[in-house]
Amino acid sequence: MSKFDLFSRLSASPTKPKSTHKTKSFDVADLYEGPFDSAAADNTSQAPGLDEKLRQAYFWIANNAIISPHYDIEYNDKPPQQFRTGDSNSALNLPTEQSYSSFTLLPLLTFATQSKCLFIGGPGRGKTASALLMGILGGYTTNEVRRAMQHGHPQMTVADLLGNPLPADLASAQSVEDIRISWRKWLGMRVRIIDEYNRIPTRTQSALLTVMGDNYAELYNQIYECPAAAWYLTANDDEGGGTYQVIEALKDRIDIVVQALSFNPRFLSQLLLRIEEGVKPEDLVPAQIIFSESEIDDMASAIRNVDVPDGIRRRIEFFSSHFEFSEYSAAQFEYKTKDTSRLSGVKSHILASLDNGRDRLKDLGCQTLNGISVRSLMSLLQYAKALAWFRGNDSVELDDLRQVLPFVFHSRLFADVNAPFFELPENAFYRSDKIGWLRHLFDTSCMEFDRLGLDNKDPVAELSAEFEVGLDDLSAKQAHKRLHRIESEIARMVEGKKMYGHIYEDIVKLKYLHQRYTNYLKWLES
Amino acid sequence: MKSAALKHYLKVERDYCNQMVASVRHQSQSLDAAEFSWFLSDCLDPLMTALDGRSNQETFPVALAGFKHGLELAALNWLKNDAKKELLQQLWSGHYREIIAIVQQEPAKTFTQTGNLLSHLNALDPGYPQEWLALMSRVTGVLEDHAQLTQTGLVCAWMAGLAHYRESALRQLATLPETLARKVLVLPDARDLKQYLGELTSNRWLTVQSAADDNPVSTHRLKARVGSCTLLGGDLPAPPEVFAGDGQFFVRSGDLAWQLYVDAYGSSLLPCDPNDLKRHMSTNDQARKFSGLSQVPGLQDISDIASTARLADTVALTSAETFAIIVLSAVNTQSSGAG
């Protein structure tokens, strides 16, 4: 007997009404539409847009499937009501705009962008269940998703993960190329789930890295090209507490990390109902929120088209410029990075002791052990676009960026807990609260950006924009003039000032421009 | 339970029905088993008695659709309110029984569409659903199919008070069979239907009753006071202003805007985009050009006019002394009890 789906249907009303009072055009048919099931009536209305469909999926999951009443992605259109709580005086905000639970929203954005998401948190918090739902949204049955889910364990071999050579071929093949492989079915799916990935042995992790990073699998010289897919990995512990240490390259392939928060006991009645009625949310997913392959592709394409305004892009640039610079890591300017000292095994506290005069509390770069990778910046842009699109916008807003940034950098930007910032009593909880710390880091960076007035006057951006116009028809005189401006700007930046990450990155950019003009002049004069 | 047909259905489909209830209970914890039982015994059962003795093929679809609709009513808290329960009783044991042949054609559609229509009417005024049922009772004997039911339902919704459906209702009236249209309008055989529909289209204050009255009055007459302050449960956060444009009244109150629909059968305020309003703001007779205020009966409490807007047959006024929009007829209408 098929499941009764009366309440598996979705609301016809928009899930994200615009704040303007723009009303939809008057339609007589509306008289017969309303709270009661319209499925029986002629459904001549247009299918919702993909963003609306994704929002419907979000609200269905949030209201029916995953009990996660933690609205930690907050939006406000006016100052929210705020309460100060406990001895720590922590803020509790009551958002004034539609806000979201990261545990439900970010996996959905991963699905929409076909990216890679890691669920972390203790056992029994819904990590696997959430991943399972994403598989069902991708059009697979519950059984298909369950069977395709890879469960990490210490004995997992590459063959367990990817497939096996056909026994008959192994016996009869004259060359390696003749051995056919029975590839695992999950490799061809648009949603891939690896449960407890930190229990996979290191060698098998390397095979996984190839599939995750390059989207193909290789066995016995045979190649299997995998389609683009959304990846969901789960781990009980992100700090090396699994059976095997996760290789760093694999960690860096993960676009976003979502923490499963604790169960709120006030929702126990919902668990009780599920037990009493033998209902599993994954069996009730409404057909209207299942995405076809072409819809997934269209969604990813629509997200790519979301605009990142220059002002927002500049703030990302400014934020990421704080962290790589390490003044005493090298003598040569270009090598003054944390990566240089990391590669040579020099401890950060040794370099910190060499710092004299720099305000280590003010310098955001002092709070981290490393810089930001290119992949993480790409993930940040992708998720900021996805969140803006999910909210029905054509361009990214600063709040979108602020909300996704901590989850993207969660396992990529590591705090130096010995930094003076963490010594302050009011910052003590940032040692364990990575999300809060990263958001604080971004807020501080934005305040610094505003203090420097970079929205209004940014000489490096002006020089870059001038260069971007191109060198065609640029006279030697003009090129000399620009070289002179670059040199003056560098002189202004280094004169009597302490070196900070953002100044360092600007100087590197100016040196690059200087070199390009120098080469151009050489060519003109030859 | 009196209906043998319903009893038989519940016996045969017991597992499925139990599963439906369990499933809805999972989704909506507000579902009360006692309330749902009331629906089965006081609403669905009386309807199903009209089908007793018929084959399962005829009775099962109606029972299933009714059962599902009842679950929705229970889950959406329609069975917690006495006034709504009374309305449902009238609907199921009266209206649906009278149109049982149409219910059988499209049971699910009939229940859900009628339920939605009543929900809209109830949201605007709790008295409108009763008015609608009374109007529909005029025609239940002549309705032939589901299409006629929906067309007539729309016309009756307009006549019950949804003034914004005026144009659509007039179009539906023109396409309905003449007998049916006459019954809805209570138009005497002596009157020409086409001519009357023409007059109705050109004069928003005309009704059959007012047309029969031959006491011509040429002054403005107070027809309605529409809207109230948000503090009193209304929509208007500030004293409103009225504007006219494209044959339509617009209302502004604070940052919000509405379209005002009004005629002899009722009035509606529908939210609109404030930007649409800007185009018409210059047409506002802000200079308090309406001079006949003191001659209009029923406006003794108004001494000052804040804004005025006119259409061919209607004047809308606002005053700092009230949050309501005052609507006056402005043509040579007949005095009438309607409107």
Side-chain angles (χ1 to χ4, degrees):
Chain A
M1 191 182 294
S2 64
K3 283 279 180 193
F4 178 57
D5 66 348
L6 182 67
F7 280 85
S8 297
R9 72 189 164 82
L10 301 154
S11 166
S13 55
T15 52
K16 180 75 172 76
K18 292 283 178 186
S19 53
T20 56
H21 271 70
K22 187 146 184 130
T23 47
K24 70 170 195 164
S25 57
F26 178 71
D27 186 354
V28 178
D30 290 346
L31 185 63
Y32 291 111
E33 297 289 328
F36 302 113
D37 187 10
S38 301
D42 288 334
N43 191 3
T44 51
S45 59
Q46 267 194 327
L50 287 173
D51 58 332
E52 176 66 13
K53 186 169 175 175
L54 197 69
R55 282 194 295 276
Q56 284 183 334
Y58 170 82
F59 283 107
W60 185 83
I61 294 171
N63 296 333
N64 299 292
I66 303 285
I67 305 168
S68 179
H70 307 284
Y71 288 89
D72 55 336
I73 296 189
E74 297 176 0
Y75 282 92
N76 297 292
D77 54 0
K78 55 188 173 197
Q81 173 100 24
Q82 193 175 71
F83 300 92
R84 289 281 162 186
T85 61
D87 293 339
S88 62
N89 213 22
S90 306
L92 166 75
N93 296 322
L94 301 181
T96 58
E97 251 273 40
Q98 195 173 89
S99 298
Y100 310 99
S101 163
S102 61
F103 186 64
T104 307
L105 177 63
L106 297 176
L108 264 180
L109 298 186
T110 303
F111 175 75
T113 51
Q114 298 282 280
S115 308
K116 298 167 191 79
C117 170
L118 169 65
F119 291 106
I120 54 167
R125 299 199 175 196
K127 303 187 296 290
T128 313
S130 189
L132 182 70
L133 279 172
M134 297 303 134
I136 295 167
L137 292 189
Y140 302 104
T141 64
T142 314
N143 282 340
E144 278 177 320
V145 183
R146 281 191 197 284
R147 286 167 195 161
M149 192 184 294
Q150 300 300 300
H151 298 279
H153 59 85
Q155 281 78 41
M156 192 178 204
T157 63
V158 176
D160 290 337
L161 188 73
L162 303 181
N164 291 92
L166 294 179
D169 288 359
L170 275 179
S172 61
Q174 298 299 309
S175 66
V176 179
E177 285 75 24
D178 294 339
I179 301 172
R180 288 171 298 166
I181 308 291
S182 167
W183 298 104
R184 296 269 179 261
K185 194 185 170 190
W186 73 281
L187 292 170
M189 291 172 73
R190 297 296 299 260
V191 176
R192 297 181 202 139
I193 303 169
I194 313 281
D195 201 19
E196 302 201 58
Y197 89 124
N198 53 347
R199 298 190 67 215
I200 299 175
T202 310
R203 184 165 179 270
T204 315
Q205 281 185 32
S206 302
L208 182 61
L209 174 66
T210 312
V211 186
M212 279 178 73
D214 303 324
N215 238 4
Y216 75 89
E218 184 179 2
L219 267 181
Y220 292 89
N221 268 4
Q222 308 289 320
I223 302 288
Y224 182 86
E225 294 286 351
C226 308
W231 287 74
Y232 298 94
L233 302 101
T234 74
N236 289 338
D237 184 346
D238 194 34
E239 298 299 325
T243 312
Y244 289 94
Q245 181 71 36
V246 177
I247 56 178
E248 209 166 312
L250 191 61
K251 271 191 174 179
D252 195 48
R253 294 300 190 286
I254 293 165
D255 294 298
I256 205 155
V257 176
V258 184
Q259 186 180 345
L261 296 174
S262 60
F263 177 77
N264 184 315
R266 285 280 184 183
F267 291 82
L268 193 65
S269 60
Q270 291 195 16
L271 292 186
L272 186 64
L273 265 173
R274 289 181 189 187
I275 292 167
E276 287 174 351
E277 287 157 21
V279 177
K280 290 180 182 169
E282 58 265 30
D283 295 335
L284 294 170
V285 178
Q288 299 97 305
I289 56 170
I290 298 208
F291 290 80
S292 66
E293 285 201 9
S294 65
E295 281 179 325
I296 295 171
D297 292 338
D298 291 348
M299 202 157 44
S301 158
I303 289 169
R304 282 197 295 275
N305 286 336
V306 171
D307 182 41
V308 180
D310 289 347
I312 301 289
R313 197 201 69 235
R314 268 299 294 135
R315 281 173 193 262
I316 303 174
E317 290 172 357
F318 186 73
F319 173 76
S320 48
S321 67
H322 294 299
F323 306 110
E324 194 59 73
F325 175 64
S326 172
E327 184 153 12
Y328 293 99
S329 286
Q332 191 176 336
F333 198 76
E334 284 76 11
Y335 288 88
K336 286 177 177 290
T337 63
K338 286 174 183 164
D339 210 35
T340 306
S341 50
R342 187 186 67 84
L343 289 170
S344 53
V346 177
K347 300 291 179 197
S348 61
H349 66 269
I350 296 172
L351 295 170
S353 65
L354 296 173
D355 254 341
N356 57 349
R358 201 153 55 113
D359 186 347
R360 288 179 53 78
L361 202 58
K362 183 185 158 199
D363 185 2
L364 299 182
C366 291
Q367 293 181 33
T368 72
L369 290 171
N370 61 329
I372 289 174
S373 74
V374 175
R375 262 192 216 98
S376 54
L377 281 173
M378 289 173 78
S379 303
L380 177 65
L381 288 168
Q382 198 171 22
Y383 276 87
K385 280 177 173 234
L387 183 53
W389 181 80
F390 178 83
R391 296 179 66 229
N393 296 332
D394 297 329
S395 60
V396 173
E397 292 172 359
L398 188 61
D399 264 346
D400 299 326
L401 197 62
R402 183 176 179 272
Q403 294 300 345
V404 295
L405 184 138
F407 300 96
V408 171
F409 291 136
H410 182 281
S411 295
R412 288 159 150 172
L413 199 55
F414 300 106
D416 180 357
V417 291
N418 297 315
F421 171 83
F422 294 101
E423 303 290 334
L424 297 176
E426 66 267 30
N427 297 333
F429 42 55
Y430 287 133
R431 283 194 169 113
S432 54
D433 175 15
K434 273 191 176 180
I435 300 292
W437 167 63
L438 287 162
R439 200 165 276 150
H440 179 273
L441 208 56
F442 182 67
D443 288 345
T444 313
S445 168
C446 285
M447 281 191 275
E448 182 66 5
F449 186 87
D450 292 333
R451 190 186 70 78
L452 295 171
L454 292 175
D455 260 337
N456 304 320
K457 184 158 177 60
D458 185 354
V460 180
E462 287 163 19
L463 285 163
S464 303
E466 206 173 50
F467 176 75
E468 291 299 328
V469 173
L471 296 176
D472 289 348
D473 302 328
L474 187 75
S475 68
K477 190 180 168 189
Q478 285 170 312
H480 275 296
K481 199 175 162 189
R482 289 188 190 181
L483 275 174
H484 180 67
R485 269 189 64 200
I486 290 168
E487 287 158 9
S488 309
E489 194 54 45
I490 293 175
R492 190 188 65 76
M493 290 171 113
V494 298
E495 190 184 10
K497 284 186 182 173
K498 298 289 175 191
M499 185 63 71
Y500 290 99
H502 63 94
I503 299 174
Y504 169 79
E505 299 290 0
D506 280 354
I507 292 174
V508 170
K509 176 70 188 269
L510 289 174
K511 183 177 174 184
Y512 163 82
L513 293 176
H514 190 276
Q515 180 58 29
R516 293 294 299 267
Y517 284 121
T518 304
N519 289 345
Y520 177 70
L521 273 173
K522 288 281 176 208
W523 174 74
L524 271 185
E525 290 162 1
S526 63
Chain B
M1 200 163 284
K2 292 173 190 163
S3 167
L6 181 60
K7 230 182 261 181
H8 183 57
Y9 170 77
L10 293 176
K11 190 179 168 190
V12 172
E13 295 289 354
R14 184 178 170 191
D15 285 348
Y16 184 44
C17 290
N18 284 339
Q19 192 187 16
M20 282 195 274
V21 175
S23 202
V24 175
R25 264 196 71 208
H26 165 67
Q27 306 281 343
S28 167
Q29 291 182 50
S30 62
L31 182 88
D32 185 312
E35 288 166 356
F36 182 59
S37 298
W38 173 86
F39 171 83
L40 292 181
S41 60
D42 287 45
C43 295
L44 188 56
D45 187 50
L47 174 66
M48 292 301 292
T49 53
L51 296 173
D52 280 348
R54 310 270 185 95
S55 70
N56 291 354
Q57 276 181 328
E58 288 182 86
T59 59
F60 275 31
V62 178
L64 172 64
F67 193 92
K68 280 186 175 183
H69 189 64
L71 280 173
E72 280 194 291
L73 289 165
L76 295 174
N77 294 330
W78 263 65
L79 305 182
K80 292 192 192 303
N81 177 310
D82 286 342
K84 284 181 179 171
K85 279 167 85 171
E86 192 187 327
L87 175 69
L88 287 171
Q89 239 173 343
Q90 285 181 43
L91 182 69
W92 284 78
S93 56
H95 178 68
Y96 287 152
R97 270 181 71 95
E98 288 167 23
I99 56 165
I100 190 68
I102 295 173
V103 170
Q104 280 187 280
Q105 287 171 19
E106 298 275 3
K109 254 190 189 181
T110 306
F111 298 150
T112 57
Q113 289 186 341
T114 310
N116 288 330
L117 182 144
L118 290 175
S119 172
H120 285 296
L121 287 166
N122 191 62
L124 288 170
D125 187 323
Y128 285 171
Q130 294 290 351
E131 180 72 19
W132 183 84
L133 278 175
L135 289 165
M136 285 298 284
S137 68
R138 293 176 186 169
V139 295
T140 45
V142 286
L143 288 173
E144 288 175 1
D145 54 29
H146 185 80
Q148 282 186 8
L149 175 72
T150 53
Q151 282 180 291
T152 316
L154 191 145
V155 174
C156 291
W158 163 59
M159 292 173 72
L162 303 191
H164 51 293
Y165 283 101
R166 176 182 170 76
E167 281 182 28
S168 320
L170 289 172
R171 278 200 301 274
Q172 300 294 338
L173 276 169
T175 60
L176 281 177
E178 184 164 342
T179 330
L180 186 53
R182 282 181 180 281
K183 284 240 179 209
V184 179
L185 296 168
V186 204
L187 190 68
D189 290 345
R191 293 289 310 270
D192 181 71
L193 177 66
K194 271 191 182 168
Q195 188 192 354
Y196 178 70
L197 288 178
E199 289 168 15
L200 205 55
T201 307
S202 59
N203 180 0
R204 75 177 69 214
W205 300 112
L206 185 71
T207 63
V208 175
Q209 292 89 334
S210 66
D213 197 329
D214 57 356
N215 294 325
V217 177
S218 58
T219 54
H220 292 96
R221 288 179 65 82
L222 176 62
K223 288 292 182 183
R225 290 185 185 226
V226 186
S228 61
C229 174
T230 45
L231 292 173
L232 299 173
D235 291 323
L236 309 172
E241 281 183 281
V242 279
F243 308 89
D246 298 338
Q248 173 70 53
F249 284 124
F250 292 89
V251 177
R252 186 178 68 178
S253 171
D255 295 332
L256 307 178
W258 289 268
Q259 285 179 299
L260 169 65
Y261 294 86
V262 63
D263 68 5
Y265 291 102
S267 58
S268 315
L269 272 177
L270 294 191
C272 72
D273 187 346
N275 293 325
D276 289 348
L277 184 63
K278 285 181 187 154
R279 289 188 294 122
H280 307 296
M281 285 174 63
S282 57
T283 60
N284 178 3
D285 298 341
Q286 296 271 10
R288 306 174 192 185
K289 286 175 186 167
F290 185 72
S291 56
L293 187 66
S294 60
Q295 294 150 25
V296 181
L299 288 186
Q300 291 82 357
D301 57 323
I302 305 297
S303 58
D304 187 37
I305 293 172
S307 68
T308 310
R310 293 167 193 271
L311 297 178
D313 53 2
T314 311
V315 178
L317 311 170
T318 61
S319 166
E321 293 157 304
T322 175
F323 272 67
I325 301 121
I326 297 160
V327 182
L328 310 176
S329 60
V331 286
N332 287 345
T333 56
Q334 339 286 172
S335 68
S336 73

